[in-house]
Amino acid sequence: MQIIHLANTSREWWREAVIYQIYPRSFASFGGGVGDLQGITSRLSHVADLGAHAIWLSPFYKSPQKDGGYDVADYRAVDPIFGNLNDAKNLIARAHELGLRVIVDLVPNHTSDQHEWFQAALADPSAPERDLYWFRKADEAPTDWLSVFGGSAWTRVCDRADAKGSPWDHDDSWYLHLFDPAQPDLNWAHPRVREEFTSILRFWLDLGADGFRVDVAHGLVKDPSLPNYQYHWDMVSGGDLLPADVPPPPQWNQPGVHDIYREWRAVLDEYEGDRALVAEAWLNDPLDAKLYVRSDEMSQAFNFDFLTSPFELAEYREVIANSLREMDSVGAPTTWVLSNHDVVRAASRFGLSKTGKGPNGIRPFEEQPDPELGRRRALAAHALGSALPGSIYIYQGEELSLPEHMALPDELREDPAFFRTKGAEAGRDGCRVPIPWEADYPAFGFSPAGSSWLPQPEEWKALAVDVQLADEASSLNFFRKMYRLREELGLGRAQLADAEDSYLHYVSSLPGRDDLHIVTAFDDPVPLPKGAKIVLSSDEVAPSTVNDEQVAPNSTVWYTL
Ligand code: NOJ
C-alpha cells in the first residue's frame, strides 16, 4: 500500500467541485433551434439535481460564430442568438440560487476578425491597432507555422474573403492566426491588450462570475523573433508527435504567459469568494501543467493526460499517480476530465479498437465504435475519476451516456477544422449535438420551436432526460447517486493510497468513515474480497453476466470491508 495523495485541508470550493460544462448552443433553447441563455436558466435545476457544484459556460459573447463562439467580437456583450446581458445576469442569479457557481469562458489568445480592434487594423495599415495583433510585411508567410485547424497560421490581408472592393484589397501584409483566419492572434506584449483583459475580468467578476476558464492558456505569448517551427500542435493533446530533439515551440507554452496569470490572480483576489481560474493548456510535456497552477497563478488546469489516456491498467495507474504527484507539488488539485466540446464523446471514444487519443470526430465511413463497450468503459472511467481526490469536469450529456453523432452529413458541419483540413478531419460537430430532454417532443424538447441546429440521432429518444429519470438503472440516475456518494464520503478531499495490487485498486481514507476501496477492471474480471460491501458499481447501469463476487471487465466498483 502506498499513499499517493494526502487528505487536503484547504477548502476553496473549486478544489473538490463537480463542474458541469454547458455548451450554450446545444444545452437548451427558449426559442428557435439554437440554445440560448434563457434556455440554460430554465434547465439549471437538472445540473443542480445531478449534484454538480458549478457550471462552466462555453462562450456566449457577441461573435460571428466562425468557431462556435471562440471568436469573440465583443467581450462585454452577449450575442443576440443567446440573448442579452440581462439574460446573463438572470442566469448567474438563478445558478447562485441553486448553489451553483458560474465559470465563464475567457478567450484571450485571439479575437474575432470582426472585433473593433481588428477592423480598425484592417482598414488602415498605419492604425495603432495593428500593433495589437501580429501583422508583418513579407513576400512569403513570415514563418512556416501551422494553424491548429490546418494550413498556414498566416493569412495575407488581401487574400481575405472580404478583401475584394474593400480598403484592404491591395494590402499584402500578413497576420497571424494560430486557429482560423477569423481568429487573429493578439499581441500580449502590448500594454493595451493586457489592460483590456484585466478590465474584461473585472466586468464579469462584477457581474457575479465565480471564475474563468482560460482558452488556449499556453498560447498568449510568442517568441517575438518568430523562428520557424513547422510541427503541428494538436487540439487537446499538444504536439505529441514531436521528435525528441526539436526545440520548444516558439508559439506555445512560453514562460511569459505566467506573468499574465499572476496579474490576473491578483485581480481575482481583490474579490471575495475564492474566484477560480482554470487553464486550458495543451502541453507537450505533461510535467509542465503544474507551472500554470502555482499558488500565485491559476487554480486548476484541465487534466488532458487523463482524457487522452488509453483505457488500460498501466496507463491509468501512471497517469493518476503522476497527476496527483505533480499537482500536489504545487498545492493544486488535479481535475478528472473525460470529455469536452473538442473531442469525440467518451461513450464512443472508449468503444474504438484503439482507446486514448483519437480523432476529433467520426464519420460513417470511418471505424464505428462498439456502443455497449464504449458506454461501459466510459461509466467505469467516470466511476474511477469520481472517486479520486480533486475536482471533476463533466461535459453536458455525459451523464446521459450520449454517444458521438457519427452520421452527421458533411453539409451540416460547421467546425473550421473540417474545412481547413479539406475534410481530412471530421471536426467536432458530432459532440456538439443538442441535448435530448423529452423523448416525445419534437427535437426531444430541446426547443419550443421543435428544432435543433444539428439533427439529433433517432436513437437519442431512449436517452432523453425524462426517460432516464424514470428508469432507476439509467446512466443519469447512476451519476446522481455517484456524485451524492462522492460528496457524502468526501472523496474529493480524501487521502488516496495505491493498494499496489496486480489490478487497479485504490483506497480512499478520511477520518470518521470506513476506508473506501476503488477497483477498476479492464479486460479481465477482478475478484472481490470476501465480505466486500458494494457502495457503487458502474455495472449497475451496464450489467454484465459476471457474478457478484467479481468486478466485471470494463467496470469500476467502490466497496468497503
Ligand atoms: C479551445 C476551445 O476549446 C476550442 O473549441 C477552440 O476552437 C480553440 N480553443 C480556439 O479558441
Side-chain angles (χ1 to χ4, degrees):
M1 181 89 81
Q2 193 199 356
I3 296 177
I4 57 172
H5 172 78
L6 292 174
N8 158 52
T9 47
S10 349
R11 297 306 295 270
E12 290 104 336
W13 66 269
W14 38 265
R15 288 189 176 269
E16 51 183 306
V18 172
I19 302 169
Y20 184 97
Q21 181 191 353
I22 291 181
Y23 190 70
R25 300 178 87 192
S26 303
F27 186 66
S29 161
F30 220 63
V34 178
D36 52 35
L37 298 189
Q38 284 196 60
I40 296 173
T41 306
S42 72
R43 297 276 193 189
L44 271 185
S45 56
H46 169 78
V47 183
D49 292 345
L50 183 64
H53 306 100
I55 53 171
W56 147 33
L57 293 158
S58 280
F60 50 80
Y61 314 107
K62 189 155 188 292
S63 159
Q65 303 291 327
K66 287 281 164 54
D67 180 23
Y70 284 93
D71 48 322
V72 182
D74 183 346
Y75 292 84
R76 296 181 187 79
V78 171
D79 196 276
I81 61 169
F82 298 126
N84 56 41
L85 218 45
N86 215 31
D87 296 327
K89 287 183 192 156
N90 290 339
L91 194 168
I92 295 173
R94 175 69 183 139
H96 287 168
E97 206 173 272
L98 290 166
L100 295 167
R101 318 260 177 167
V102 179
I103 294 179
V104 296
D105 216 311
L106 189 72
V107 189
N109 179 67
H110 42 263
T111 67
S112 156
D113 61 356
Q114 302 304 309
H115 189 282
E116 58 174 14
W117 282 357
F118 194 74
Q119 286 295 309
L122 273 183
D124 174 5
S126 60
E129 282 78 7
R130 284 242 161 166
D131 296 336
L132 307 178
Y133 297 90
W134 292 87
F135 280 89
R136 291 289 182 276
K137 278 265 183 214
D139 294 338
E140 304 281 320
T143 68
D144 58 3
W145 297 1
L146 298 169
S147 147
V148 173
F149 291 154
S152 169
W154 296 91
T155 290
R156 231 167 24 174
V157 173
C158 56
D159 292 338
R160 287 175 50 85
D162 60 4
K164 214 167 174 37
S166 77
W168 51 89
D169 200 356
H170 300 291
D171 183 347
D172 60 359
S173 21
W174 301 80
Y175 68 92
L176 175 68
H177 52 86
L178 294 179
F179 295 88
D180 194 73
Q183 296 164 297
D185 278 55
L186 284 165
N187 170 17
W188 272 85
H190 201 294
R192 219 172 130 191
V193 173
R194 292 175 91 114
E195 279 156 28
E196 172 65 356
F197 274 85
T198 43
S199 155
I200 293 166
L201 287 178
R202 287 180 201 285
F203 178 86
W204 289 101
L205 289 166
D206 289 338
L207 234 75
D210 299 285
F212 300 89
R213 176 262 189 195
V214 180
D215 191 62
V216 200
H218 59 312
L220 276 50
V221 173
K222 281 92 182 166
D223 176 344
S225 69
L226 300 182
N228 275 338
Y229 187 87
Q230 72 274 44
Y231 297 99
H232 187 245
W233 210 250
D234 236 319
M235 188 75 78
V236 178
S237 62
D240 55 354
L241 297 176
L242 300 185
D245 54 349
V246 166
Q251 68 278 59
W252 304 117
N253 198 27
Q254 292 283 304
V257 295
H258 299 293
D259 296 337
I260 300 169
Y261 305 135
R262 289 195 188 100
E263 203 174 305
W264 292 3
R265 172 86 266 157
V267 173
L268 265 69
D269 284 348
E270 290 167 20
Y271 289 76
E272 58 180 23
D274 300 330
R275 314 280 171 132
L277 286 169
V278 50
E280 188 229 14
W282 320 322
L283 304 165
N284 200 34
D285 184 345
L287 305 186
D288 280 347
K290 65 168 172 293
L291 301 178
Y292 289 75
V293 291
R294 288 173 286 186
S295 60
D296 57 349
E297 294 192 36
M298 302 227 198
S299 321
Q300 305 178 322
F302 292 123
N303 187 343
F304 290 141
D305 298 322
F306 185 63
L307 189 154
T308 54
S309 173
F311 189 77
E312 285 164 27
L313 167 62
E315 309 264 4
Y316 264 53
R317 178 172 271 158
E318 189 181 327
V319 80
I320 290 169
N322 286 350
S323 312
L324 290 169
R325 190 193 57 239
E326 287 298 300
M327 294 297 124
D328 282 347
S329 74
V330 290
T334 186
T335 60
W336 305 108
V337 192
L338 288 167
S339 288
N340 62 33
H341 63 294
D342 291 328
V343 298
V344 169
R345 281 185 172 279
S348 298
R349 211 173 63 230
F350 283 124
L352 291 169
S353 53
K354 185 178 148 285
T355 53
K357 189 180 150 31
N360 63 4
I362 300 177
R363 278 180 287 176
F365 55 85
E366 292 164 344
E367 185 199 342
Q368 299 296 292
D370 172 338
E372 266 317 301
L373 181 63
R375 176 165 178 253
R376 276 184 68 80
R377 285 177 170 167
L379 289 164
H382 271 289
L384 170 63
S386 301
L388 300 177
S391 139
I392 308 286
Y393 278 85
I394 169 167
Y395 175 50
Q396 63 181 39
E398 283 195 279
E399 74 282 22
L400 308 175
S401 289
L402 283 190
E404 185 81 359
H405 192 343
M406 284 150 316
L408 268 185
D410 284 351
E411 339 43 289
L412 297 182
R413 294 191 181 276
E414 293 197 3
D415 186 352
F418 172 73
F419 297 104
R420 288 192 60 84
T421 61
K422 305 198 168 53
E425 288 182 15
R428 301 159 290 169
D429 300 293
C431 68
R432 299 175 175 180
V433 173
I435 297 294
W437 292 97
E438 280 109 21
D440 291 328
Y441 282 86
F444 303 134
F446 172 69
S447 69
S451 53
S452 73
W453 68 279
L454 284 174
Q456 301 148 303
E458 203 33 56
E459 311 82 76
W460 283 21
K461 188 178 167 80
L463 297 174
V465 172
D466 65 344
V467 173
Q468 296 211 29
L469 278 177
D471 171 6
E472 236 177 273
S474 68
S475 296
L476 176 55
N477 281 322
F478 173 75
F479 273 89
R480 287 171 146 214
K481 174 177 172 188
M482 180 164 74
Y483 289 155
R484 179 175 52 73
L485 287 167
R486 181 177 190 275
E487 175 106 24
E488 279 171 21
L489 298 169
L491 298 177
R493 60 171 177 280
Q495 170 188 292
L496 196 76
D498 187 328
E500 298 184 296
D501 273 319
S502 57
Y503 46 89
L504 200 72
H505 179 185
Y506 297 107
V507 181
S508 163
S509 312
L510 208 59
R513 67 152 164 83
D514 291 340
D515 283 352
L516 185 82
H517 295 255
I518 304 130
V519 169
T520 298
F522 293 86
D523 292 337
D524 301 311
V526 171
L528 276 169
K530 276 225 166 342
K533 293 185 280 291
I534 294 186
V535 175
L536 183 92
S537 164
S538 61
D539 229 25
E540 290 168 29
V541 205
S544 73
T545 48
V546 177
N547 62 38
D548 288 354
E549 280 114 56
Q550 292 189 317
V551 181
N554 303 308
S555 77
T556 293
V557 168
W558 301 359
Y559 66 87
T560 53
L561 286 175

